[in-house]
Amino acid sequence: MRYSSINQSRSGVALNPILNLFDLTGRTALIMGSSAGIGYALARGLAGAGASVVLNGRNEERLDKAADTLRREGATVYTTSFDVTHAGDVGSAVAQVEENAGPIDILVNNAGMQRRAPLHEFSATQWNELMRTNLDSVFLVGQAVARHMIPRGRGKIVNICSVQSELGRPNIAAYTASKGAVKMLTKGMAIDWGPHGLQVNGLGPGYFKTELTEALVKNEEFNAWLVGRTPSRRWGDVDDLVGAAVFLASDASNFVNGHILYVDGGVTATL
C-alpha cells in the first residue's frame, strides 16, 4: 500500500497518515508509579510521542528529579504525589490534575509492588498491602479518571499487567493473584466503559531489567534459566515497552478494547 500525500499532525508537523494515528500531541497522560523503572520509561515514551505527562510517585525527591530530566528533553511535565490506595486522596488528586494539567486523555495504571514468600508463610498483612497497591489502586484511580472521561466520550486507560497474569512461579502466589485480577478488571472496565467511548487495555511485561529485578539479573542460575526459557533469548529493556504503550494510548488502537498485550519476548507462548 502506498500513500502519495501526507497529513498534518496536531502540532502542524507533516506526518504520514499512518504515523499520524500514533501522534499524541495535545493529549495529557497520567502515569502512575513513574518516577523510575517501567513507569518512567512509559512516561518518557508518551512524551516523545507528543503528550504532556503527569508523573506520580511516593518519593517526591525522585519524582522531581525524573520530571526535571524529562523537561530538559523538551517534555511538558507535571507531578502529583498521593496515596493510590486511599479513595478520598485519589478522587481529589485526580480532580487537581484535571484542573492544573488539563483533561486526562490517557491513564497508565502502573503502581505496583512485589512480596516473595511461600504462600503458607504469607501473612495477612502482606497480602492486604500487596492487593491494595497492585489491584485496589487500579480500581480507584481508574474509576476516578473514568468519571471525568465518560462525560467527554473518550479516553485511553492502560493497566500494567504481567506475564504473571497468566503464569505462576514459586513464592509469588499473591502477586500472581493480583495481576490475574488486574487482567480481569481490565476486561470488566472495557465492558462497562466501552459504550462511553473509552478503550481500556492491559500491557503485560515479561521479565525486564529494572531496579526491582536487579538481584534476579545477577543470579546466574535464574538468569540462565530465564534466557533459555525466553524465545528472544534475553531480558527485556524498558524501552521495549514504549511502542506498545504508545499504540494503546493512541488513535491506532481505537477498536482495541479489553485486550492484554504481552511484551515478553515470547515467554507466554512456550512451555
Side-chain angles (χ1 to χ4, degrees):
M1 183 180 295
R2 297 178 61 85
Y3 291 89
S4 58
S5 62
I6 55 177
N7 286 351
Q8 296 294 115
S9 75
R10 284 176 289 276
S11 63
V13 178
L15 292 176
N16 178 289
I18 297 301
L19 296 181
N20 196 40
L21 291 173
F22 298 88
D23 181 27
L24 300 180
T25 303
R27 302 188 186 183
T28 299
L30 171 61
I31 304 97
M32 312 306 298
S34 49
S35 61
I38 287 174
Y40 175 77
L42 297 183
R44 188 168 184 256
L46 295 178
S52 299
V53 295
V54 183
L55 306 185
N56 163 268
R58 292 178 294 182
N59 186 317
E60 293 192 19
E61 183 178 350
R62 292 182 68 179
L63 196 61
D64 290 340
K65 183 178 179 181
D68 288 342
T69 300
L70 292 181
R71 289 187 185 112
R72 285 195 295 272
E73 294 179 357
T76 299
V77 186
Y78 304 85
T79 63
T80 179
S81 182
F82 59 92
D83 185 350
V84 296
T85 69
H86 189 278
D89 291 352
V90 169
S92 60
V94 167
Q96 288 177 3
V97 170
E98 288 262 332
E99 181 179 350
N100 297 327
I104 299 169
D105 302 290
I106 302 156
L107 167 65
V108 180
N109 271 314
N110 180 60
M113 66 182 302
Q114 175 67 287
R115 291 285 184 267
R116 292 182 173 87
L119 189 58
H120 58 280
E121 297 177 4
F122 213 81
S123 71
T125 298
Q126 289 175 311
W127 174 276
N128 291 331
E129 179 187 29
L130 190 147
M131 289 297 171
R132 284 196 302 270
T133 302
N134 292 2
L135 178 59
D136 292 1
S137 68
V138 176
F139 163 69
L140 293 172
V141 180
Q143 183 188 65
V145 171
R147 285 173 171 167
H148 291 271
M149 289 178 167
I150 286 171
R152 297 192 285 262
R154 59 182 171 80
K156 301 279 187 173
I157 297 177
V158 182
N159 296 329
I160 303 303
C161 298
S162 168
V163 292
Q164 267 77 49
S165 296
E166 301 290 343
L167 305 171
R169 282 210 23 96
N171 299 330
I172 59 168
Y175 182 82
T176 301
S178 72
K179 288 301 184 177
V182 171
K183 177 186 77 170
M184 295 311 298
L185 179 57
T186 298
K187 294 177 182 291
M189 287 176 168
I191 292 165
D192 282 2
W193 300 339
H196 298 283
L198 278 61
Q199 290 86 52
V200 187
N201 294 288
L203 181 60
Y207 282 86
F208 280 73
K209 291 181 179 179
T210 68
E211 293 178 5
L212 296 179
T213 60
E214 185 176 0
L216 294 177
V217 174
K218 292 180 178 179
N219 184 313
E220 292 184 6
E221 181 180 359
F222 183 87
N223 184 70
W225 172 84
L226 178 66
V227 171
R229 167 77 170 76
T230 304
S232 294
R233 294 296 186 264
R234 67 176 177 88
W235 287 75
D237 294 316
V238 290
D239 287 343
D240 291 325
L241 292 164
V242 170
V246 171
F247 166 67
L248 293 177
S250 71
D251 289 345
S253 61
N254 280 350
F255 201 55
V256 180
N257 220 349
H259 178 70
I260 313 301
L261 175 53
Y262 291 102
V263 183
D264 63 358
V267 166
T268 53
T270 182
L271 291 173

